[in-house]
């Protein structure tokens, strides 16, 4: 990323709430310029407006659906206008049906939708950002889950999508030597997605998403080799 005085530019997907919003706040605090995405315009606009003061970085909130190729192109075009992108945080994600169904009962349209958002949308955005990322020797941070590597009942559809995300990262890392690629497991977090995974349960004991932001900032500052990261281990 940059060593001169021009702010680095990050695209953060799913920045209207949960982990994406917390990461955006951490980056804004650190002076990054941000291009933020989520489908719901009011929540995204509100999240962007409440970011910490961040001169000289700029913030652009672009509501839209990651499965829309035009929206992905707009995100990268704005990041390019700001002088980047230096980083893509592929954080937006879908869980699938709640309560989580066993694979025997997973509706295929819902599975297709999961793959479209979590995998195809993520790769589509990354593809468009790669020219800028190569130029700036930037990074891709894909948010993954322990469900990508463990076998939890009910988590087959979501876990398979995250396993695909991890393998995309693994291959991208060898194909793009000028770009760092990390796939990071944040651990359980108290967010809407987590509540949807455990409907009716009290998830008040799960840590808030803000708790892993220092690990994200440390990752970006130290730029370890591409690979899988458990964010809590960096804290
Ligand atoms: N929470 C956990 O315990 C946990 C654990 C491991 C990994 N993760 C991962 O962490 C990431 C963030 O999850 P979270 O828990 O913070 O979830 P969340 O609170 O549900 O937030 C998801 C964000 O993604 C956006 N989003 C969803 N679908 C989108 C789409 N098609 N296009 C654009 N934006 C979209 C949402 O906004 P809109 O709905 O308005 O679009 C929202 O801003 C996900 O990749 C998740 O798999 C979470």
């Amino acid at each position: 990323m940059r060593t001169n005085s021009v702010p680095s530019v990050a695209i953060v997907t799913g920045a209207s709430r949960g982990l994406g919003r917390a990461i955006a706040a951490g980056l804004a605090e650190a002076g990054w310029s941000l291009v933020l995405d989520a489908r719901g315009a009011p929540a995204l606009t509100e999240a962007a407006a409440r970011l910490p003061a961040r001169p000289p970085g700029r913030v652009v909130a672009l509501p839209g659906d990651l499965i829309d190729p035009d929206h992905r192109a707009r995100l990268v075009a704005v990041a390019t206008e700001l002088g980047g992108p230096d980083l893509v945080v592929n954080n937006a994600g879908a869980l699938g049906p709640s309560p989580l169904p066993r694979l025997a009962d997973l509706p295929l349209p819902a599975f297709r939708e999961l793959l479209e958002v979590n995998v195809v949308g993520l790769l589509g955005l990354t593809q468009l950002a790669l020219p800028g990322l190569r130029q700036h020797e930037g990074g891709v941070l894909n948010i993954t889950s322990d469900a990508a590597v463990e076998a939890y009942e009910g988590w087959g559809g979501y876990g398979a999508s995250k396993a695909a995300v991890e393998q995309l990262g693994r291959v991208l890392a060898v194909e793009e030597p000028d770009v760092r690629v990390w796939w990071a497991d944040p651990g359980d977090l108290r967010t809407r997605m987590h509540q949807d995974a455990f409907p009716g349960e009290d998830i008040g004991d799960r840590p808030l998403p803000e708790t892993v932001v220092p690990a994200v900032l440390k990752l970006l500052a130290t730029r370890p080799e591409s690979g899988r990261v458990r964010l809590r281990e960096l804290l």
Side-chain angles (χ1 to χ4, degrees):
M1 324 256 162
R2 314 290 171 93
T3 48
N4 58 25
S5 57
V6 180
S8 299
V9 181
I11 300 171
V12 182
T13 67
S16 64
R17 60 175 189 265
L19 180 59
R21 181 174 181 165
I23 290 175
L27 292 175
E29 187 103 45
W32 287 65
S33 287
L34 299 175
V35 182
L36 306 178
D37 137 283
R39 288 164 304 177
L44 183 65
T45 309
E46 198 241 316
R50 286 175 180 267
L51 288 173
R54 66 242 160 217
R58 292 183 50 200
V59 177
V60 180
L62 278 183
D65 195 322
L66 270 181
I67 71 172
D68 173 5
D70 292 340
H71 173 60
R72 298 194 296 256
R74 277 195 297 276
L75 290 169
V76 175
V78 171
T80 306
E81 274 166 31
L82 294 177
D86 302 84
L87 174 69
V88 177
V89 182
N90 283 312
N91 163 82
L95 177 70
S98 169
L100 294 170
R102 298 164 62 84
L103 284 175
D105 306 316
L106 176 62
L108 295 183
F111 184 46
R112 253 187 224 111
E113 198 180 309
L114 255 185
L115 295 174
E116 193 68 39
V117 178
N118 292 4
V119 185
V120 181
L122 173 148
L123 179 60
L125 180 65
T126 306
Q127 285 175 336
L128 294 175
L130 274 174
L133 295 174
R134 289 184 196 119
Q135 188 188 337
H136 302 302
E137 299 189 340
V140 176
L141 175 57
N142 293 334
I143 303 300
T144 183
S145 162
D146 59 344
V149 291
E150 303 289 345
Y152 303 126
E153 280 181 37
W155 291 81
Y158 171 84
S161 77
K162 291 299 190 182
V165 166
E166 298 209 2
Q167 185 62 357
L168 290 179
R170 216 169 272 120
V171 174
L172 192 67
V174 295
E175 290 179 347
E176 301 290 340
D178 293 336
V179 178
R180 289 283 200 279
V181 186
W182 304 289
W183 45 108
D185 173 7
D188 288 354
L189 298 171
R190 201 187 316 162
T191 67
R192 187 182 303 178
M193 179 186 285
H194 199 83
Q195 185 67 73
D196 288 345
F198 298 95
E201 280 186 42
D202 180 3
I203 62 162
D205 61 341
R206 276 42 156 213
L208 288 169
E210 287 74 14
T211 56
V212 294
V213 172
V216 171
L217 296 177
K218 185 170 176 185
L219 183 76
L220 299 176
T222 55
R223 287 179 62 75
E225 290 300 316
S226 296
R228 191 173 204 279
V229 181
R230 290 165 79 178
L231 287 178
R232 295 210 177 278
E233 290 177 1
L234 291 183
L235 292 170

